[in-house]
Amino acid sequence: MSLLLPDSGLLFWMLLSFSVVFVILAKYGFPVITKMVEGRRTYIDQSLEVARQANAQLAKLKEESEALIAAANKEQGRIMREAMHERDKIIVEARKHAEAVAQKELDDVKQQIQQEKEEAIRDIRRQVAVLSVDIAEKIIRRNLDEKQDQMEMIDRMLDEMLTPNH
């Protein structure tokens, strides 16, 4: 049992050491610790105040940002409406231009068709004239051939009549 319990001299010295340490701590350490704790508490209070101010500034910045975003969205909507209006005007102008170009091309095609038609009619008239001349020439030739045949026949008949019978 003597191993588990220290002897009384050792116990005395241990108690005396703890007492001296406690007295020294009480006289010198606790005020220092208290001052340190108060300093820390002041630092924490100041830090909390800075954090509160930062949070207030952050909330103000958030409000301002939201206001700026709302204004930007409104401006973007206005710009988009203006852009769409301009786009619509450009589309209308492009349609008018396309219609004018298409009408001009249609008029050009009509004019070209009219010219080709007139040229075709002139060609047909030329061909008809040539054919008419050919037909007239053939009719005249046929009539002449018939008249010549008749003349030759009359001539033979006259020759036969005028010539004594053989």
Side-chain angles (χ1 to χ4, degrees), residues 7-20:
D7 65 16
S8 58
L10 183 61
L11 188 56
F12 172 75
W13 285 108
M14 281 174 59
L15 283 174
L16 183 63
S17 299
F18 283 128
S19 298
V20 170

Side-chain angles (χ1 to χ4, degrees), residues 50-62:
V50 168
R52 275 191 288 277
Q53 289 174 358
N55 281 337
Q57 287 177 345
L58 186 61
K60 185 178 176 183
L61 285 174
K62 183 179 176 186

Side-chain angles (χ1 to χ4, degrees), residues 108-129:
D108 290 348
V109 167
K110 284 180 180 178
Q111 184 179 6
Q112 184 178 2
I113 289 171
Q114 183 64 31
Q115 289 171 351
E116 289 174 0
K117 179 181 166 184
E118 289 170 2
E119 189 176 321
I121 290 171
R122 281 192 298 272
D123 285 346
I124 290 171
R125 284 183 181 156
R126 275 188 223 115
Q127 290 174 359
V128 166

Side-chain angles (χ1 to χ4, degrees), residues 30-67:
F30 287 134
V32 170
I33 291 172
T34 304
K35 217 179 213 185
M36 283 176 34
V37 167
E38 286 175 5
R40 290 284 181 195
R41 194 173 287 151
T42 303
Y43 176 75
I44 288 170
D45 288 344
Q46 289 172 348
S47 297
L48 286 173
E49 182 59 29
V50 168
R52 275 191 288 277
Q53 289 174 358
N55 281 337
Q57 287 177 345
L58 186 61
K60 185 178 176 183
L61 285 174
K62 183 179 176 186
E63 257 180 50
E64 290 172 356
S65 295
E66 288 172 352

